[in-house]
Amino acid sequence: TGEPGFFGSKLAFTAKGAGTSAIWAMDFDGKNAYKISNNSSQNILPSWSPSGGKIAYTSFMRNNPDLYVAPAGGGRPAQLSVQRGMNTGAAWSPDGKQIALTLSKDGNPEIYVINATDGSIVRRITNDKAIDTSPAWSPDGSQLAFVSDRNGGPQIFVVSASGGGARQVSFNGSYNTTPTWSPRPGKHIIAYTTRDNGVYDIVTLDLDAKSTVRITQNEGSNEEPAFSPNGRAIAFARAGQGVFIANADGSGKAVKVWSGSTTGIDWGPAPAP
């Protein structure tokens, strides 16, 4: 195909237990799983750095949802963002120098960009009375997708990574969350979680063609998609069952690679040749 595969890449996810949740990582096929977080608190929303050497995640270990960064192989995490209130939904910029996340330090959840080294605020992206969460960088770093209920129920919006006016891009139904961008060159595709008839499913949206493809249907409740490094597959969590992988074009049947109660899937980069 002339493009790299995703063999050798890894998945990170949140495994839910009795009153706790932990960050885990494993090979994309479910082998060699190991724990990233080592506390008895709630640890959620892992995010791989572009190099694959670090994982950012939110932890309540100090009784506030603060952002930490840990070595991708496991080890002691370092606090990065400890603003009052939420420090959640981290997403690394493609160059690894910045992180977009949700902060509620001013009383309302908004999207900010912080320095990935020291956690200092670089700029505020959104400024709306609604709830803005779940930022995701486009592959070229020029745009951010995020979730907002500013027009009613939660929908997917896209905004310049430098800030400014945001435009709504999802219109199927009244509940759409957790966007993530396809890394395929020349494409502008977002996968996200959609809810219809009380069930959550994964769909993709081609922003240029304005067409959607359903990745899951009539197979449980599916959330939190993450594209493979080449954009040809999507990993996601199926409620009460585990982590699954499906073809990003909607063909074929999803395959389970991990059993258990999971959320917050993120697919790491392809390993260096």
Side-chain angles (χ1 to χ4, degrees):
T1 63
E3 68 181 22
F6 50 78
F7 296 97
S9 62
K10 295 180 182 293
L11 295 170
F13 59 95
T14 300
K16 296 190 288 186
T20 66
S21 56
I23 307 300
W24 285 71
M26 64 184 180
D27 296 345
F28 83 94
D29 59 0
K31 307 297 184 184
N32 303 313
Y34 60 95
K35 190 183 288 188
I36 299 295
S37 62
N38 288 297
N39 62 77
S40 59
S41 183
Q42 297 285 346
N43 304 278
I44 58 174
L45 300 172
S47 176
W48 291 92
S49 66
S51 69
K54 300 176 181 179
I55 294 178
Y57 63 93
T58 295
S59 177
F60 288 76
M61 71 174 81
R62 290 185 172 87
N63 300 314
N64 189 71
D66 296 329
L67 185 69
Y68 294 79
V69 174
R76 186 176 179 84
Q79 282 185 316
L80 183 63
S81 182
V82 291
Q83 301 286 345
R84 182 175 60 87
M86 299 167 61
N87 300 261
T88 61
W92 298 76
S93 62
D95 63 8
K97 295 180 179 180
Q98 299 178 336
I99 291 177
L101 79 169
T102 299
L103 299 177
S104 62
K105 65 186 185 65
D106 297 316
N108 188 55
E110 302 282 1
I111 307 299
Y112 285 79
V113 172
I114 64 173
N115 187 299
T117 302
D118 62 12
S120 61
I121 293 176
V122 177
R123 60 187 172 277
R124 180 173 177 168
I125 300 297
T126 63
N127 190 354
D128 195 279
K129 62 183 179 181
I131 296 173
D132 298 329
T133 62
S134 302
W137 294 85
S138 62
D140 64 1
S142 68
Q143 299 179 91
L144 287 163
F146 66 98
V147 178
S148 180
D149 62 356
R150 62 185 63 186
N151 290 344
Q155 295 287 354
I156 311 301
F157 288 75
V158 172
V159 65
S160 168
S162 60
R167 61 188 175 98
Q168 183 176 334
V169 296
S170 66
F171 295 95
N172 59 308
S174 60
Y175 194 100
N176 296 298
T177 61
T178 67
T180 185
W181 292 79
S182 169
R184 291 192 68 73
K187 301 290 186 180
H188 302 97
I189 297 174
I190 294 174
Y192 58 92
T193 304
T194 189
R195 186 182 72 188
D196 47 28
N197 298 319
V199 177
Y200 295 92
D201 278 307
I202 308 301
V203 298
T204 63
L205 168 65
D206 186 317
L207 295 178
D208 298 326
K210 294 181 173 56
S211 59
T212 60
V213 172
R214 186 172 282 268
I215 306 302
T216 64
Q217 190 167 21
N218 301 323
E219 294 179 293
S221 190
N222 308 279
E223 298 183 82
E224 313 248 8
F227 278 99
S228 65
N230 63 4
R232 290 191 174 272
I234 295 175
F236 58 91
R238 181 166 292 169
Q241 298 188 42
V243 180
F244 286 72
I245 293 177
N247 292 329
D249 62 4
S251 66
K253 188 175 177 62
V255 176
K256 182 192 284 189
V257 295
W258 174 270
S259 294
S261 183
T262 61
T263 60
I265 314 299
D266 194 40
W267 203 321

